[in-house]
Amino acid sequence: MGKLIAIEGTDGSGKQTQAQMLFEYLSAEGVRCKKIGFPNYQSESSALVKMYLRGEFGKNADAVDPKIASIFFAGDRYASWKTVWEECYRESGIILTDRYVMSNLIHQAAKLDLYEERLAFKRWLEELEYGIFSLPRPDLVFYLHMDIEASFALMENRNNKFSGQADKDIHERDREYMKRSYQCAELFSRIDSWHRIECLKDGEIRTREEIHQELVRILKEERIV
């Protein structure tokens, strides 16, 4: 089997950029690898995800039960696994993913208020994705951490990822919901010991190259490469 490296983080933290930089680095080193990302907006499998994020099932994220919403994202992930990257993974390749199961956990557990509810949801979700759908667990999770207010500032002028327009999806336009998602990211990153990467230093955003070098250092320390 190969290795699965997931890059998670607050919105605007540079997950897509860092996934691409790692892909280019590993490819240059002669490592067989594949870069993926979720949701997979280019695939038909993301249809329900896009309907959900556009607000067609409810005008805000809390209107849709977290387990129902999670199944949309998990189904998209399963389709990608079976059609895009399973072969590479099974043949000892390295898979780099911009978001993975942990994003489902972060954003859907944010709909629950109590700590115990969030932990119970975590158990349910992991059984769904890693058990029922038989998706591989990540070997390494990078958590790109950025203060939530800095994240809001970066998102202000960013276009919607699947529409390409300035309109925000139901997650992005609800700041209170995003704050709860941030709290869940902080919680689960501690529980599962994700590798925390600080994107700010002395109040300034670190360069993408500086962050990239830290990721490479950790990959070597963990003997992934």
Side-chain angles (χ1 to χ4, degrees), residues 21-74:
M21 291 179 75
L22 274 185
F23 174 74
E24 292 172 1
Y25 166 78
L26 291 172
S27 298
E29 291 292 310
V31 177
R32 185 184 183 192
C33 58
K34 185 177 287 288
K35 181 175 70 70
I36 58 174
F38 296 104
N40 183 8
Y41 292 125
Q42 285 69 51
S43 170
E44 294 175 301
S45 64
S46 68
L48 289 172
V49 172
K50 288 189 276 193
M51 291 175 71
Y52 162 71
L53 292 175
R54 282 196 298 260
E56 294 182 38
F57 304 136
K59 295 305 179 185
N60 60 68
D62 291 310
V64 180
D65 183 89
K67 290 184 178 180
I68 292 174
S70 292
I71 291 169
F72 301 158
F73 289 91

Side-chain angles (χ1 to χ4, degrees), residues 42 47 50 89 106 108-109 116 122 131 179 182 199 205 209:
Q42 285 69 51
K50 288 189 276 193
Y89 178 79
I106 289 167
Q108 299 307 320
E116 292 77 11
K122 181 178 187 291
K179 287 179 181 178
Y182 172 77
C199 296
I205 298 175
E209 183 60 35

Side-chain angles (χ1 to χ4, degrees), residues 183-208:
Q183 291 167 357
C184 284
E186 290 288 273
L187 169 65
F188 295 121
S189 68
R190 291 193 299 270
I191 289 175
D192 286 340
S193 301
W194 302 343
H195 285 273
R196 184 185 183 97
I197 310 297
E198 294 295 346
C199 296
L200 297 178
K201 184 177 182 180
D202 299 326
E204 300 293 330
I205 298 175
R206 297 169 67 195
T207 67
R208 61 181 63 184

Side-chain angles (χ1 to χ4, degrees), residues 9-15 99 107 143-158 168 171-172 174-175 178-179 181-182 185 199-200 203 205:
T10 46
D11 284 288
S13 58
K15 297 180 294 295
R99 295 185 181 274
H107 288 290
Y143 172 46
L144 305 185
H145 173 261
M146 182 175 289
D147 178 79
I148 190 64
E149 294 301 327
S151 180
F152 285 152
L154 287 170
M155 290 171 59
E156 194 66 36
N157 298 312
R158 189 183 73 178
K168 304 299 183 186
H171 288 183
E172 294 171 338
D174 186 340
R175 290 203 168 192
M178 293 302 294
K179 287 179 181 178
S181 297
Y182 172 77
C199 296
L200 297 178
I205 298 175

Side-chain angles (χ1 to χ4, degrees), residues 1-5 26 31-34 85-96 139 224:
M1 292 296 179
K3 298 290 185 182
L4 176 60
I5 301 166
L26 291 172
V31 177
R32 185 184 183 192
C33 58
K34 185 177 287 288
W85 54 281
E86 180 181 15
E87 181 181 359
C88 180
Y89 178 79
R90 293 195 182 281
E91 293 181 357
S92 301
I94 291 182
I95 308 299
L96 298 166
D139 296 279
I224 300 295

